[in-house]
mmCIF file with all atom_site columns, all heavy atoms in Angstrom:
data_model
loop_
_atom_site.group_PDB
_atom_site.id
_atom_site.type_symbol
_atom_site.label_atom_id
_atom_site.label_alt_id
_atom_site.label_comp_id
_atom_site.label_asym_id
_atom_site.label_entity_id
_atom_site.label_seq_id
_atom_site.pdbx_PDB_ins_code
_atom_site.Cartn_x
_atom_site.Cartn_y
_atom_site.Cartn_z
_atom_site.occupancy
_atom_site.B_iso_or_equiv
_atom_site.pdbx_formal_charge
_atom_site.auth_seq_id
_atom_site.auth_comp_id
_atom_site.auth_asym_id
_atom_site.auth_atom_id
_atom_site.pdbx_PDB_model_num
ATOM 1   N N   . ALA Z 1 162 ? -8.362  -3.701 3.984   1.00 0.00 ? 186 ALA Z N   1
ATOM 2   C CA  . ALA Z 1 162 ? -8.449  -4.598 2.823   1.00 0.00 ? 186 ALA Z CA  1
ATOM 3   C C   . ALA Z 1 162 ? -9.736  -5.425 2.893   1.00 0.00 ? 186 ALA Z C   1
ATOM 4   O O   . ALA Z 1 162 ? -10.392 -5.667 1.867   1.00 0.00 ? 186 ALA Z O   1
ATOM 5   C CB  . ALA Z 1 162 ? -7.231  -5.509 2.770   1.00 0.00 ? 186 ALA Z CB  1
ATOM 6   N N   . THR Z 1 163 ? -10.109 -5.835 4.098   1.00 0.00 ? 187 THR Z N   1
ATOM 7   C CA  . THR Z 1 163 ? -11.345 -6.617 4.275   1.00 0.00 ? 187 THR Z CA  1
ATOM 8   C C   . THR Z 1 163 ? -12.557 -5.803 3.828   1.00 0.00 ? 187 THR Z C   1
ATOM 9   O O   . THR Z 1 163 ? -13.434 -6.322 3.127   1.00 0.00 ? 187 THR Z O   1
ATOM 10  C CB  . THR Z 1 163 ? -11.502 -7.006 5.774   1.00 0.00 ? 187 THR Z CB  1
ATOM 11  O OG1 . THR Z 1 163 ? -10.299 -7.634 6.188   1.00 0.00 ? 187 THR Z OG1 1
ATOM 12  C CG2 . THR Z 1 163 ? -12.657 -7.942 5.992   1.00 0.00 ? 187 THR Z CG2 1
ATOM 13  N N   . VAL Z 1 164 ? -12.578 -4.536 4.208   1.00 0.00 ? 188 VAL Z N   1
ATOM 14  C CA  . VAL Z 1 164 ? -13.687 -3.656 3.805   1.00 0.00 ? 188 VAL Z CA  1
ATOM 15  C C   . VAL Z 1 164 ? -13.718 -3.537 2.278   1.00 0.00 ? 188 VAL Z C   1
ATOM 16  O O   . VAL Z 1 164 ? -14.771 -3.666 1.649   1.00 0.00 ? 188 VAL Z O   1
ATOM 17  C CB  . VAL Z 1 164 ? -13.541 -2.258 4.475   1.00 0.00 ? 188 VAL Z CB  1
ATOM 18  C CG1 . VAL Z 1 164 ? -14.560 -1.275 3.927   1.00 0.00 ? 188 VAL Z CG1 1
ATOM 19  C CG2 . VAL Z 1 164 ? -13.674 -2.377 5.985   1.00 0.00 ? 188 VAL Z CG2 1
ATOM 20  N N   . LEU Z 1 165 ? -12.541 -3.334 1.679   1.00 0.00 ? 189 LEU Z N   1
ATOM 21  C CA  . LEU Z 1 165 ? -12.477 -3.185 0.218   1.00 0.00 ? 189 LEU Z CA  1
ATOM 22  C C   . LEU Z 1 165 ? -12.961 -4.453 -0.502  1.00 0.00 ? 189 LEU Z C   1
ATOM 23  O O   . LEU Z 1 165 ? -13.728 -4.382 -1.468  1.00 0.00 ? 189 LEU Z O   1
ATOM 24  C CB  . LEU Z 1 165 ? -11.036 -2.850 -0.208  1.00 0.00 ? 189 LEU Z CB  1
ATOM 25  C CG  . LEU Z 1 165 ? -10.784 -2.745 -1.703  1.00 0.00 ? 189 LEU Z CG  1
ATOM 26  C CD1 . LEU Z 1 165 ? -11.516 -1.533 -2.306  1.00 0.00 ? 189 LEU Z CD1 1
ATOM 27  C CD2 . LEU Z 1 165 ? -9.298  -2.641 -2.018  1.00 0.00 ? 189 LEU Z CD2 1
ATOM 28  N N   . LEU Z 1 166 ? -12.504 -5.617 -0.016  1.00 0.00 ? 190 LEU Z N   1
ATOM 29  C CA  . LEU Z 1 166 ? -12.873 -6.880 -0.670  1.00 0.00 ? 190 LEU Z CA  1
ATOM 30  C C   . LEU Z 1 166 ? -14.381 -7.109 -0.668  1.00 0.00 ? 190 LEU Z C   1
ATOM 31  O O   . LEU Z 1 166 ? -14.919 -7.761 -1.558  1.00 0.00 ? 190 LEU Z O   1
ATOM 32  C CB  . LEU Z 1 166 ? -12.189 -8.064 0.048   1.00 0.00 ? 190 LEU Z CB  1
ATOM 33  C CG  . LEU Z 1 166 ? -10.677 -8.181 -0.137  1.00 0.00 ? 190 LEU Z CG  1
ATOM 34  C CD1 . LEU Z 1 166 ? -10.094 -9.188 0.829   1.00 0.00 ? 190 LEU Z CD1 1
ATOM 35  C CD2 . LEU Z 1 166 ? -10.334 -8.581 -1.562  1.00 0.00 ? 190 LEU Z CD2 1
ATOM 36  N N   . GLN Z 1 167 ? -15.061 -6.548 0.355   1.00 0.00 ? 191 GLN Z N   1
ATOM 37  C CA  . GLN Z 1 167 ? -16.507 -6.766 0.474   1.00 0.00 ? 191 GLN Z CA  1
ATOM 38  C C   . GLN Z 1 167 ? -17.340 -5.636 -0.116  1.00 0.00 ? 191 GLN Z C   1
ATOM 39  O O   . GLN Z 1 167 ? -18.558 -5.733 -0.153  1.00 0.00 ? 191 GLN Z O   1
ATOM 40  C CB  . GLN Z 1 167 ? -16.880 -6.897 1.957   1.00 0.00 ? 191 GLN Z CB  1
ATOM 41  C CG  . GLN Z 1 167 ? -16.248 -8.099 2.620   1.00 0.00 ? 191 GLN Z CG  1
ATOM 42  C CD  . GLN Z 1 167 ? -16.542 -8.105 4.103   1.00 0.00 ? 191 GLN Z CD  1
ATOM 43  O OE1 . GLN Z 1 167 ? -17.412 -8.808 4.570   1.00 0.00 ? 191 GLN Z OE1 1
ATOM 44  N NE2 . GLN Z 1 167 ? -15.825 -7.289 4.848   1.00 0.00 ? 191 GLN Z NE2 1
ATOM 45  N N   . SER Z 1 168 ? -16.678 -4.569 -0.541  1.00 0.00 ? 192 SER Z N   1
ATOM 46  C CA  . SER Z 1 168 ? -17.458 -3.409 -1.004  1.00 0.00 ? 192 SER Z CA  1
ATOM 47  C C   . SER Z 1 168 ? -17.626 -3.411 -2.524  1.00 0.00 ? 192 SER Z C   1
ATOM 48  O O   . SER Z 1 168 ? -16.909 -4.111 -3.256  1.00 0.00 ? 192 SER Z O   1
ATOM 49  C CB  . SER Z 1 168 ? -16.784 -2.112 -0.556  1.00 0.00 ? 192 SER Z CB  1
ATOM 50  O OG  . SER Z 1 168 ? -15.744 -1.800 -1.439  1.00 0.00 ? 192 SER Z OG  1
ATOM 51  N N   . ALA Z 1 169 ? -18.559 -2.583 -2.979  1.00 0.00 ? 193 ALA Z N   1
ATOM 52  C CA  . ALA Z 1 169 ? -18.813 -2.458 -4.423  1.00 0.00 ? 193 ALA Z CA  1
ATOM 53  C C   . ALA Z 1 169 ? -17.605 -1.851 -5.120  1.00 0.00 ? 193 ALA Z C   1
ATOM 54  O O   . ALA Z 1 169 ? -17.389 -2.062 -6.318  1.00 0.00 ? 193 ALA Z O   1
ATOM 55  C CB  . ALA Z 1 169 ? -20.044 -1.585 -4.641  1.00 0.00 ? 193 ALA Z CB  1
ATOM 56  N N   . LYS Z 1 170 ? -16.783 -1.117 -4.344  1.00 0.00 ? 194 LYS Z N   1
ATOM 57  C CA  . LYS Z 1 170 ? -15.579 -0.485 -4.907  1.00 0.00 ? 194 LYS Z CA  1
ATOM 58  C C   . LYS Z 1 170 ? -14.625 -1.518 -5.514  1.00 0.00 ? 194 LYS Z C   1
ATOM 59  O O   . LYS Z 1 170 ? -13.815 -1.197 -6.373  1.00 0.00 ? 194 LYS Z O   1
ATOM 60  C CB  . LYS Z 1 170 ? -14.817 0.264  -3.798  1.00 0.00 ? 194 LYS Z CB  1
ATOM 61  C CG  . LYS Z 1 170 ? -15.341 1.639  -3.494  1.00 0.00 ? 194 LYS Z CG  1
ATOM 62  C CD  . LYS Z 1 170 ? -14.418 2.264  -2.476  1.00 0.00 ? 194 LYS Z CD  1
ATOM 63  C CE  . LYS Z 1 170 ? -14.967 3.591  -1.982  1.00 0.00 ? 194 LYS Z CE  1
ATOM 64  N NZ  . LYS Z 1 170 ? -14.226 4.056  -0.818  1.00 0.00 ? 194 LYS Z NZ  1
ATOM 65  N N   . PHE Z 1 171 ? -14.687 -2.747 -5.008  1.00 0.00 ? 195 PHE Z N   1
ATOM 66  C CA  . PHE Z 1 171 ? -13.769 -3.781 -5.483  1.00 0.00 ? 195 PHE Z CA  1
ATOM 67  C C   . PHE Z 1 171 ? -13.882 -3.958 -7.003  1.00 0.00 ? 195 PHE Z C   1
ATOM 68  O O   . PHE Z 1 171 ? -12.901 -4.226 -7.690  1.00 0.00 ? 195 PHE Z O   1
ATOM 69  C CB  . PHE Z 1 171 ? -14.034 -5.109 -4.752  1.00 0.00 ? 195 PHE Z CB  1
ATOM 70  C CG  . PHE Z 1 171 ? -12.961 -6.140 -4.993  1.00 0.00 ? 195 PHE Z CG  1
ATOM 71  C CD1 . PHE Z 1 171 ? -11.706 -5.993 -4.433  1.00 0.00 ? 195 PHE Z CD1 1
ATOM 72  C CD2 . PHE Z 1 171 ? -13.204 -7.249 -5.793  1.00 0.00 ? 195 PHE Z CD2 1
ATOM 73  C CE1 . PHE Z 1 171 ? -10.699 -6.924 -4.662  1.00 0.00 ? 195 PHE Z CE1 1
ATOM 74  C CE2 . PHE Z 1 171 ? -12.203 -8.192 -6.029  1.00 0.00 ? 195 PHE Z CE2 1
ATOM 75  C CZ  . PHE Z 1 171 ? -10.950 -8.032 -5.454  1.00 0.00 ? 195 PHE Z CZ  1
ATOM 76  N N   . ARG Z 1 172 ? -15.094 -3.774 -7.504  1.00 0.00 ? 196 ARG Z N   1
ATOM 77  C CA  . ARG Z 1 172 ? -15.305 -3.916 -8.960  1.00 0.00 ? 196 ARG Z CA  1
ATOM 78  C C   . ARG Z 1 172 ? -14.788 -2.702 -9.739  1.00 0.00 ? 196 ARG Z C   1
ATOM 79  O O   . ARG Z 1 172 ? -14.709 -2.746 -10.957 1.00 0.00 ? 196 ARG Z O   1
ATOM 80  C CB  . ARG Z 1 172 ? -16.799 -4.128 -9.244  1.00 0.00 ? 196 ARG Z CB  1
ATOM 81  C CG  . ARG Z 1 172 ? -17.300 -5.512 -8.854  1.00 0.00 ? 196 ARG Z CG  1
ATOM 82  C CD  . ARG Z 1 172 ? -18.672 -5.791 -9.441  1.00 0.00 ? 196 ARG Z CD  1
ATOM 83  N NE  . ARG Z 1 172 ? -19.687 -4.906 -8.896  1.00 0.00 ? 196 ARG Z NE  1
ATOM 84  C CZ  . ARG Z 1 172 ? -20.354 -5.156 -7.757  1.00 0.00 ? 196 ARG Z CZ  1
ATOM 85  N NH1 . ARG Z 1 172 ? -20.108 -6.253 -7.079  1.00 0.00 ? 196 ARG Z NH1 1
ATOM 86  N NH2 . ARG Z 1 172 ? -21.258 -4.303 -7.308  1.00 0.00 ? 196 ARG Z NH2 1
ATOM 87  N N   . ASP Z 1 173 ? -14.472 -1.617 -9.024  1.00 0.00 ? 197 ASP Z N   1
ATOM 88  C CA  . ASP Z 1 173 ? -13.964 -0.404 -9.683  1.00 0.00 ? 197 ASP Z CA  1
ATOM 89  C C   . ASP Z 1 173 ? -12.444 -0.407 -9.831  1.00 0.00 ? 197 ASP Z C   1
ATOM 90  O O   . ASP Z 1 173 ? -11.868 0.529  -10.390 1.00 0.00 ? 197 ASP Z O   1
ATOM 91  C CB  . ASP Z 1 173 ? -14.361 0.853  -8.884  1.00 0.00 ? 197 ASP Z CB  1
ATOM 92  C CG  . ASP Z 1 173 ? -15.857 1.059  -8.854  1.00 0.00 ? 197 ASP Z CG  1
ATOM 93  O OD1 . ASP Z 1 173 ? -16.528 0.585  -9.786  1.00 0.00 ? 197 ASP Z OD1 1
ATOM 94  O OD2 . ASP Z 1 173 ? -16.352 1.694  -7.899  1.00 0.00 ? 197 ASP Z OD2 1
ATOM 95  N N   . ILE Z 1 174 ? -11.793 -1.442 -9.295  1.00 0.00 ? 198 ILE Z N   1
ATOM 96  C CA  . ILE Z 1 174 ? -10.324 -1.467 -9.367  1.00 0.00 ? 198 ILE Z CA  1
ATOM 97  C C   . ILE Z 1 174 ? -9.881  -1.764 -10.793 1.00 0.00 ? 198 ILE Z C   1
ATOM 98  O O   . ILE Z 1 174 ? -10.391 -2.672 -11.458 1.00 0.00 ? 198 ILE Z O   1
ATOM 99  C CB  . ILE Z 1 174 ? -9.727  -2.524 -8.403  1.00 0.00 ? 198 ILE Z CB  1
ATOM 100 C CG1 . ILE Z 1 174 ? -10.122 -2.202 -6.966  1.00 0.00 ? 198 ILE Z CG1 1
ATOM 101 C CG2 . ILE Z 1 174 ? -8.202  -2.581 -8.545  1.00 0.00 ? 198 ILE Z CG2 1
ATOM 102 C CD1 . ILE Z 1 174 ? -9.727  -3.272 -5.950  1.00 0.00 ? 198 ILE Z CD1 1
ATOM 103 N N   . LYS Z 1 175 ? -8.926  -0.947 -11.254 1.00 0.00 ? 199 LYS Z N   1
ATOM 104 C CA  . LYS Z 1 175 ? -8.362  -1.160 -12.583 1.00 0.00 ? 199 LYS Z CA  1
ATOM 105 C C   . LYS Z 1 175 ? -6.841  -1.156 -12.486 1.00 0.00 ? 199 LYS Z C   1
ATOM 106 O O   . LYS Z 1 175 ? -6.282  -0.624 -11.524 1.00 0.00 ? 199 LYS Z O   1
ATOM 107 C CB  . LYS Z 1 175 ? -8.803  -0.034 -13.526 1.00 0.00 ? 199 LYS Z CB  1
ATOM 108 C CG  . LYS Z 1 175 ? -10.214 -0.177 -14.061 1.00 0.00 ? 199 LYS Z CG  1
ATOM 109 C CD  . LYS Z 1 175 ? -10.435 0.870  -15.128 1.00 0.00 ? 199 LYS Z CD  1
ATOM 110 C CE  . LYS Z 1 175 ? -11.807 0.754  -15.748 1.00 0.00 ? 199 LYS Z CE  1
ATOM 111 N NZ  . LYS Z 1 175 ? -12.046 1.859  -16.698 1.00 0.00 ? 199 LYS Z NZ  1
ATOM 112 N N   . LYS Z 1 176 ? -6.209  -1.728 -13.518 1.00 0.00 ? 200 LYS Z N   1
ATOM 113 C CA  . LYS Z 1 176 ? -4.749  -1.744 -13.554 1.00 0.00 ? 200 LYS Z CA  1
ATOM 114 C C   . LYS Z 1 176 ? -4.301  -0.854 -14.706 1.00 0.00 ? 200 LYS Z C   1
ATOM 115 O O   . LYS Z 1 176 ? -4.751  -1.050 -15.850 1.00 0.00 ? 200 LYS Z O   1
ATOM 116 C CB  . LYS Z 1 176 ? -4.260  -3.177 -13.754 1.00 0.00 ? 200 LYS Z CB  1
ATOM 117 C CG  . LYS Z 1 176 ? -2.797  -3.367 -13.482 1.00 0.00 ? 200 LYS Z CG  1
ATOM 118 C CD  . LYS Z 1 176 ? -2.448  -4.842 -13.617 1.00 0.00 ? 200 LYS Z CD  1
ATOM 119 C CE  . LYS Z 1 176 ? -1.028  -5.104 -13.223 1.00 0.00 ? 200 LYS Z CE  1
ATOM 120 N NZ  . LYS Z 1 176 ? -0.710  -6.523 -13.295 1.00 0.00 ? 200 LYS Z NZ  1
ATOM 121 N N   . CYS Z 1 177 ? -3.451  0.087  -14.409 1.00 0.00 ? 201 CYS Z N   1
ATOM 122 C CA  . CYS Z 1 177 ? -2.944  1.008  -15.431 1.00 0.00 ? 201 CYS Z CA  1
ATOM 123 C C   . CYS Z 1 177 ? -1.914  0.271  -16.302 1.00 0.00 ? 201 CYS Z C   1
ATOM 124 O O   . CYS Z 1 177 ? -1.343  -0.725 -15.861 1.00 0.00 ? 201 CYS Z O   1
ATOM 125 C CB  . CYS Z 1 177 ? -2.303  2.190  -14.713 1.00 0.00 ? 201 CYS Z CB  1
ATOM 126 S SG  . CYS Z 1 177 ? -1.727  3.494  -15.791 1.00 0.00 ? 201 CYS Z SG  1
#
Side-chain angles (χ1 to χ4, degrees):
T187 307
V188 172
L189 176 67
L190 289 168
Q191 296 175 101
S192 81
K194 277 185 187 169
F195 191 71
R196 287 193 295 274
D197 295 334
I198 300 173
K199 281 189 178 175
K200 194 176 186 177
C201 184

